[in-house]
Amino acid sequence: MTLLTTEEYKAIAAGLTFPTNAFIDGHFRPAISGRTFDTLNPATGEVLAKVAACGPEDVDLAVAKARDAFEDGRWSRLHPKERKETLIRLAKLVKRNARELAVLESLDSGKTIYDCELVDVPETINCLTWHAELIDKIYDQVAPASDNHIAMILREPVGVVGLVLPWNFPLLMLAWKIGPALAAGCSVIVKPAEETPLTTLRMAELAMEAGIPPGVFNVVPGTGPEVGEPIGRHMDIDAVSFTGSTETGRRFLRYAAESNLKEVTLEMGGKNPAVVLDDAENLDRVAAHIVNGAFWNMGENCSASSRLIVQKGVKEALLKRIVAHAREWPVGDPLDPVNRVGALVSKAHYEKVCSYLEKGPKVILGGKAERGFVEPTILEVSRDSRQAREEIFGPVLSVLTVDSFDEAIALANSTEYGLAASIFTGNVKRALRGARAIRAGTVTVNSFGEGDISTPFGGFKASGFGGRDNGIHAHDQYTQVKTIWVDLADDVDEAVY
């Protein structure tokens, strides 16, 4: 896709009409209480729109409509081919409205238009299309049994699902969840993050236009206590898929335990290591990967390379190249396609990230922050410092030095998290040994990344629980496995087994 000029993007922004109401049973409607909340442009602080501030009563209504839709089979029992065609129509509508969605996402989240245009929206389309195409390609099974029996193993939609989204990739994380959930035949209740509700509400319009039946795709905006917790505790929601902080993820486990023991899938935080050994090849390329991993999306990324663990022999040469590459990531107006670092999502989050820039660690690069923007920052830190241990979720790279391969792997694992990691080495045996030894859900070798739509994404330890996003494995979150045992025997003696 060819990027436009800043002026062209601002012209698109000026012409946007913002969706503001909840979407329940195929219709937009205000919150039952009539209350609203402001959604802000993080780059300017201006109010973009007043969005329906839903509460428990809105959740109850959405769940009732979702349950009706699921039970009468308007989607759950629709032929797989028809569900596939509907989701492909949705993907095509997203493509047709891609530029509008990219601008809307940038305005609401502070993300750069560069990323929204070139990463988020294209990957959203890819995700929806991939799961749509998978619908009629996942086969059920027949288990080995005696000659007098047939044992069928079926995958059935789990039912009504709560999908609770983060604010860092609002549109893409929506696709990660509705793609497999709708493909499986579930009805969904989506709670967008309070900071970034607009693209999810716009997607509801597109879903209706694509032909997804009323009650199947519902969006209930609001706060965690007023919407998130009621979803987590609801007795008629069968499963919840949550992406967000580890602290909030723990709450969803409690909500499930204290209600109907609904299934819970959690994709949470990370303190992800990038291990660079002294035999790493092409340090310039290594540096480019480190910078991308640390500063992409302003570091507001659960899989961000936030810890550089570098072997002493290569440290000086690598840091020189990292600093050079980091200077190529301009900070500023998110609608200027030149900029690679936009505004942090909210004032509260900006202040949190700024707290890690206080005096203490040695500043190798950056360290400055102003009015919601934090420049790419590289700090040399001690192993017991906050910067080395805590998830910052901002454009801050913490550098730690080691003497050996074993020390590097031990340090990589010395965290409560286990989402993603990278290892850079020219020795294939060390690469594979290291990748096996690092306790993380995704380990990349000689690159930064998360795999792609075909590979499962999720974490170990405090980074994840209960399932995976992406790949065929994502469908496991939204299906139940059922055994149907058929007795073919003609008399009692033959039926004994």
Side-chain angles (χ1 to χ4, degrees):
M1 181 177 287
T2 303
L3 295 172
L4 304 180
T5 65
T6 307
E7 291 70 26
E8 289 171 316
Y9 284 121
K10 289 187 175 180
I12 293 172
L16 291 177
T17 300
F18 300 119
T20 58
N21 284 326
F23 186 80
I24 298 174
D25 198 29
H27 303 283
F28 282 104
R29 53 185 300 149
I32 292 172
S33 68
R35 293 183 294 116
T36 63
F37 65 90
D38 293 340
T39 185
L40 307 178
N41 180 339
T44 65
E46 68 175 313
V47 176
L48 292 171
K50 292 185 178 295
V51 177
C54 293
E57 62 275 16
D58 300 283
V59 174
D60 287 342
L61 177 62
V63 173
K65 297 302 183 181
R67 178 59 63 188
D68 289 345
F70 184 77
E71 296 299 338
D72 70 24
R74 69 188 74 164
W75 182 256
S76 59
R77 292 196 292 274
L78 200 63
H79 192 285
K81 179 175 180 288
E82 295 181 65
R83 290 206 307 273
K84 169 183 170 179
E85 290 172 348
T86 304
L87 286 180
I88 287 175
R89 282 197 299 272
L90 175 57
K92 289 179 177 178
L93 285 169
V94 174
K95 186 173 183 179
R96 190 180 305 165
N97 294 275
R99 189 142 270 159
E100 172 205 339
L101 286 165
V103 173
L104 188 59
E105 187 90 320
S106 179
L107 289 174
D108 205 24
S109 67
K111 295 165 66 75
T112 64
I113 194 65
Y114 181 97
D115 282 344
C116 293
E117 283 262 46
L118 300 183
V119 180
D120 294 49
V121 174
E123 284 302 311
T124 295
I125 298 166
N126 181 45
C127 179
L128 293 173
T129 303
W130 195 88
H131 286 292
E133 290 288 356
L134 195 63
I135 290 174
D136 55 6
K137 299 173 183 65
I138 299 181
Y139 286 77
D140 293 326
Q141 298 169 310
V142 177
S146 76
D147 192 52
N148 288 325
H149 303 90
I150 292 178
M152 293 180 286
I153 302 169
L154 309 182
R155 296 162 66 96
E156 297 183 348
V158 70
V160 176
V161 180
L163 306 176
V164 183
L165 307 181
W167 46 252
N168 58 335
F169 290 92
L171 192 60
L172 184 54
M173 294 302 99
L174 173 66
W176 276 24
K177 295 188 185 301
I178 65 171
L182 294 177
C186 296
S187 296
V188 302
I189 317 295
V190 183
K191 182 210 171 296
E194 184 182 356
E195 295 86 349
T196 54
L198 297 182
T199 48
T200 300
L201 291 169
R202 179 68 179 110
M203 282 286 284
E205 289 184 293
L206 298 179
M208 179 171 56
E209 187 178 342
I212 293 177
V216 173
F217 183 5
N218 306 276
V219 181
V220 186
T223 66
E226 290 295 308
V227 175
E229 183 172 347
I231 286 175
R233 293 187 180 278
H234 206 287
M235 296 297 291
D236 205 24
I237 288 180
D238 301 296
V240 166
S241 181
F242 166 79
T243 297
S245 72
T246 299
E247 177 186 358
T248 303
R250 293 180 195 275
R251 293 194 189 115
F252 276 98
L253 290 179
R254 290 198 295 272
Y255 301 156
E258 293 167 2
S259 57
N260 62 341
L261 285 176
K262 60 179 62 65
E263 297 183 26
V264 178
T265 299
L266 305 176
E267 197 278 285
M268 302 180 290
K271 190 65 178 174
N272 311 294
V275 175
V276 182
L277 303 177
D278 57 9
D279 60 359
E281 299 173 338
N282 193 345
L283 290 185
D284 192 62
R285 185 173 183 275
V286 173
H289 277 289
I290 298 293
V291 167
N292 185 49
F295 304 135
W296 172 45
N297 201 51
M298 293 76 71
E300 295 174 334
N301 181 8
C302 55
S303 62
S305 300
S306 55
R307 288 186 296 155
L308 171 60
I309 299 172
V310 57
Q311 205 165 352
K312 187 180 297 183
V314 76
K315 175 183 173 182
E316 184 177 345
L318 178 63
L319 284 179
K320 181 179 179 181
R321 288 166 172 81
I322 287 175
V323 168
H325 278 279
R327 294 191 191 282
E328 297 173 0
W329 283 60
V331 183
D333 182 357
L335 289 182
D336 184 342
V338 169
N339 290 326
R340 298 299 307 277
V341 179
L344 298 187
V345 72
S346 66
K347 181 179 179 182
H349 185 60
Y350 168 74
E351 291 173 350
K352 177 205 167 193
V353 172
C354 287
S355 73
Y356 291 93
L357 305 180
E358 296 169 355
K359 291 184 178 180
K362 176 184 176 183
V363 178
I364 298 173
L365 178 74
K368 296 179 182 177
E370 186 176 6
R371 295 195 303 273
F373 294 83
V374 175
E375 64 181 352
T377 297
I378 303 172
L379 306 175
E380 188 158 13
V381 302
S382 63
R383 298 184 187 187
D384 60 352
S385 66
R386 291 177 62 220
Q387 293 83 353
R389 293 181 292 102
E390 298 175 9
E391 184 178 35
I392 299 173
F393 225 62
V396 181
L397 175 64
S398 298
V399 180
L400 298 139
T401 310
V402 294
D403 292 318
S404 68
F405 170 83
D406 289 339
E407 185 184 1
I409 300 304
L411 184 55
N413 285 331
S414 65
T415 173
E416 66 174 318
Y417 299 108
L419 185 58
S422 304
I423 183 166
F424 296 84
T425 173
N427 184 311
V428 66
K429 290 183 179 181
R430 293 176 96 190
L432 293 177
R433 282 173 50 214
R436 279 187 165 187
I438 293 173
R439 297 278 297 161
T442 298
V443 182
T444 57
V445 176
N446 292 328
S447 67
F448 163 76
E450 298 175 350
D452 65 14
I453 185 62
S454 68
T455 56
F457 180 80
F460 295 0
K461 301 187 285 188
S463 288
F465 178 92
R468 291 290 187 265
D469 291 316
N470 287 345
I472 294 176
H473 300 77
H475 288 240
D476 294 341
Q477 295 183 49
Y478 307 107
T479 56
Q480 293 274 29
V481 176
K482 175 183 285 185
T483 296
I484 297 180
W485 183 268
V486 182
D487 190 331
L488 304 177
D490 289 329
D491 57 45
V492 175
D493 291 337
E494 289 178 329
V496 175
Y497 56 93

